[in-house]
Amino acid sequence: MMKNTKMLVCAMLVLVAAVLSACGTNSANGGQASSPAGSSKPQETAAAAPSFLVEKGFLTYGTAATFPPFEYMVNNEFTGFDVELGQAIAKEMGVEVKIQSMNFDGLIPALQGKRIDIINSAMYIKPEREEQVDFIPYMGLADSIVVKSGNPKGIKSLDDLSDLTVAVTRGAVEEINVREHNEKLKQAGKKEIKILALPTGNDAVLATEQGRADAFLHSSPGAAYLQEEKPGVFEIAGSFGADTKIGIAIRKGDTETKTAIEAALKKVVENGTYKQLMEKYHLPAEMSYFK
């Protein structure tokens, strides 16, 4: 009788231990992202998400989706380089993405008010903005030399445009850049670039397409998106003046979120996703911040 009693007690203790173990497992998993369907293992992440998120399990970011090829709308869906980059960063942290669309001038107030976790909207890094937010730079912006597909004149730089015709928007910064470079060509004893100044950027595009100009100058984002609008018609022969940087904005002094985003972004660069997205959206390699 005593022996049977001891066996019964042991069995009850084993059962209690099993129940407590199961309860402990459920509690530990409460703050994790759910595993993929059909998987019994928790999702592995390369970078930890910050402890504070506007909505648990989501990286909520603000964007002004009017700047192709970085962020814009197609059939009421967000698309663009930044949109896919944001998804890749969130994936590395084991969370999903929630996009808050707003006017550009409302982005920083929304971040400061903790209505979003980050700003992911190709934001130019400027001193006045750096006083309000911290930045994680991820790309440089430049001016691009755009030529007809195949680059028949073999143009690679502004020097190669010597004695050739370049279409620009009259009075725009591109015309100023060409005139400044002509001074350098004169000093080097080379022929100047022939400037075809036209009323609009579309006129410069058309002049090059029709062969009235050998090339035209365009902002790097505009040149990249043009290849999506007119596939196979143009290519970017070269870029110059990549002094402006764009970055993901973080709340001032929020080192935890900054560290988390930087770690995830590093993984996105290392696994090749960043390069693939640049190629997908026709962004020249010169614009990469990670060289």
Side-chain angles (χ1 to χ4, degrees):
M1 181 70 176
M2 182 67 69
K3 184 177 179 180
N4 290 339
T5 302
K6 287 182 177 179
M7 290 178 64
L8 180 60
V9 169
C10 289
M12 291 178 66
L13 288 174
V14 170
L15 179 61
V16 170
V19 171
L20 289 175
S21 175
C23 291
T25 301
N26 289 337
S27 176
N29 285 344
Q32 299 293 326
S34 59
S35 302
S39 172
S40 60
K41 295 180 180 179
Q43 182 178 350
E44 294 182 1
T45 58
S51 58
F52 172 80
L53 290 172
V54 170
E55 185 171 342
K56 188 175 181 180
F58 291 88
L59 178 65
T60 304
Y61 72 76
T63 191
T66 57
F67 188 36
F70 291 102
E71 45 270 324
Y72 55 109
M73 304 297 291
V74 175
N75 297 325
N76 293 320
E77 296 287 338
F78 291 99
T79 189
F81 177 91
D82 285 343
V83 174
E84 294 199 50
L85 181 65
Q87 291 171 341
I89 288 172
K91 181 180 178 181
E92 292 296 336
M93 295 193 298
V95 296
E96 297 182 53
V97 162
K98 181 162 286 188
I99 302 175
Q100 296 289 348
S101 180
M102 58 188 71
N103 292 332
F104 195 84
D105 59 4
L107 290 171
I108 289 180
L111 180 65
Q112 292 172 329
K114 294 188 176 181
R115 288 184 281 127
I116 55 177
D117 298 309
I118 62 173
I119 297 171
N120 180 30
S121 192
M123 183 169 277
Y124 285 39
I125 301 175
K126 296 182 177 181
E128 59 269 26
R129 288 179 180 153
E130 289 179 296
E131 293 177 0
Q132 303 177 73
V133 298
D134 291 330
F135 280 103
I136 300 171
Y138 63 91
M139 192 173 294
L141 295 186
D143 285 313
S144 294
I145 303 168
V146 184
V147 299
K148 291 185 73 171
S149 185
N151 195 4
K153 299 291 177 69
I155 297 166
K156 295 180 180 178
S157 67
L158 286 176
D159 285 344
D160 294 333
L161 294 172
S162 171
D163 202 31
L164 296 180
T165 300
V166 174
V168 295
T169 304
R170 185 179 298 121
V173 66
E174 289 79 18
E175 181 179 4
I176 296 171
N177 289 336
V178 175
R179 294 193 183 283
E180 288 178 349
H181 197 75
N182 272 343
E183 291 300 317
K184 296 178 182 179
L185 290 174
K186 283 169 60 178
Q187 293 173 8
K190 297 180 180 180
K191 293 184 178 180
E192 296 180 37
I193 300 168
K194 300 171 186 175
I195 300 174
L196 178 59
L198 299 166
T200 70
N202 287 336
D203 292 329
V205 171
L206 185 60
T208 306
E209 187 174 358
Q210 293 174 340
R212 292 185 288 123
D214 299 296
F216 69 94
L217 304 186
H218 207 342
S219 68
S220 50
Y225 187 59
L226 180 65
Q227 291 178 86
E228 186 172 326
E229 290 183 304
K230 292 178 172 285
V233 178
F234 297 105
E235 66 179 77
I236 297 173
S239 300
F240 62 95
D243 300 323
T244 301
K245 300 290 187 293
I246 58 176
I248 295 170
I250 313 293
R251 271 183 293 279
K252 197 73 180 171
D254 185 354
T255 55
E256 184 189 2
T257 299
K258 191 170 189 287
T259 299
I261 298 295
E262 285 176 334
L265 179 58
K266 182 180 178 182
K267 292 294 182 181
V268 171
V269 173
E270 289 175 346
N271 66 26
T273 301
Y274 177 91
K275 182 180 178 182
Q276 291 169 6
L277 290 177
M278 289 198 69
E279 292 172 351
K280 176 178 179 178
Y281 289 99
H282 311 291
L283 296 166
E286 294 90 340
M287 290 172 58
S288 173
Y289 185 78
F290 308 98
K291 300 176 183 177

